[in-house]
Amino acid sequence: MPTGIGNNSFIGIGEEVAYGTTVARTRFLIQNSESLRVTERRVEAGSIYRRGRHANRNVQSLVDVGGDFSFNPQYSSQALMILLKHLLGTIASSQPDTTAAPTVYRHTFTPATALPTGLSIEVGKDILASLFAGCKVASMSFRFSPGELVECSVGIIGREKTRIDDSGLVYTEGKLAVATNTTVTWNGVAQSCTDFTITIENPLTPRHFINSRYTSEPLRSGKVRVTGSFTIELEGSTLYSDFRNRTERALVLTATGDTIAGGIAFDNIFTMSVATLTEGNANAASEGVLYAPFSFEAFLNAANANEVSVRLTNEASGV
């Protein structure tokens, strides 16, 4: 019997029409790691009779499906775009210059009250595959480190897992996002960051009823949370003062890639119009350069309806 090899693995994604009803996977990515799994809950009778546990009194209960995976995103990755759409809910697409740059598209993702139905996610494992139905995107994190490829981690909650034959990878290599031309501004002032992370969380929980072992479509059980951190060289007290005073500022990360056409480049922009610093203590811990790490969270307010927006400029016309 052949043995499965990890270097033949992949992740495929399809958008479901009806929650939990699987569809063909049309967008693909190559993961760095993956831990999607199914857990079978068990319940056991509480009778005090017998010395030991009788097998008939230990029975199957609810099914839990979830986990995460990570990958290095391409600027034009439609798989990334689908994940962002299902994380936040809304996508608006346009062309900035149809004459000089007819192949360039801009996509802006913002939070919506209702999320899209769900995803079918296939994890190809060389000789077979796992198909996860009814998947919702519970979280996405992006990490930017100097000279490194951007890394995206995705948290998933789902309904069911089945075994299928590997449907095959359909994938085109494209421009990978790398943190060599990335700027961060706080209140419009550029910061010299040594790292930057942002996490967007949907507080999704399973919805179990007495008619099934499987969850109904998970819904948000709380508010969307946008948090993260960055580190700068210790240069002044402006950000520390903002931390201590809980001053609301605009925080923007712009990652720029190669030019596509008409002077327009690939980019990935995270905009948080109302951000506050939740931690900001610099310590004298070495003989060299001193660093100031800061943590942040983002909010909406009367003037800004969204706590975060994510913009991609690429060559993909849509998801």
Side-chain angles (χ1 to χ4, degrees), residues 170-235:
V170 181
Y171 184 79
T172 301
E173 292 286 356
K175 295 285 187 180
L176 290 168
V178 60
T180 54
N181 190 12
T182 302
T183 61
V184 175
T185 62
W186 176 262
N187 194 32
V189 179
Q191 306 296 318
S192 298
C193 291
T194 61
D195 59 67
F196 188 99
T197 62
I198 179 172
T199 299
I200 304 170
E201 298 175 271
N202 277 321
L204 298 173
T205 56
R207 298 167 59 226
H208 288 292
F209 300 96
I210 60 176
N211 64 341
S212 176
R213 298 178 64 209
Y214 304 98
T215 181
S216 294
E217 182 177 352
L219 300 176
R220 288 191 182 117
S221 58
K223 302 181 187 302
V224 174
R225 290 184 60 84
V226 181
T227 59
S229 64
F230 59 89
T231 301
I232 61 174
E233 293 184 348
L234 182 60
E235 296 177 340

Side-chain angles (χ1 to χ4, degrees), residues 89-95 105-110 310-312:
T90 302
I91 175 175
S93 300
S94 63
Q95 287 187 274
Y105 296 84
R106 279 195 174 136
H107 313 279
T108 302
F109 303 83
T110 51
V310 183
R311 191 188 87 177
L312 300 180

Side-chain angles (χ1 to χ4, degrees), residues 46-125:
S47 59
I48 62 175
Y49 179 69
R50 289 191 185 91
R51 167 196 55 78
R53 300 166 61 203
H54 197 288
N56 288 349
R57 303 184 69 79
N58 182 283
V59 299
Q60 287 181 309
S61 179
L62 302 177
V63 173
D64 295 314
V65 175
D68 54 58
F69 58 87
S70 67
F71 66 104
N72 300 118
Q74 298 181 16
Y75 281 109
S76 291
S77 169
Q78 290 172 297
L80 171 64
M81 292 169 61
I82 288 178
L83 292 169
L84 284 169
K85 173 185 171 183
H86 282 252
L87 171 73
L88 292 172
T90 302
I91 175 175
S93 300
S94 63
Q95 287 187 274
D97 190 337
T98 56
T99 301
T103 62
V104 176
Y105 296 84
R106 279 195 174 136
H107 313 279
T108 302
F109 303 83
T110 51
T113 300
L115 294 172
T117 301
L119 298 170
S120 297
I121 298 180
E122 176 182 352
V123 181
K125 300 176 181 178

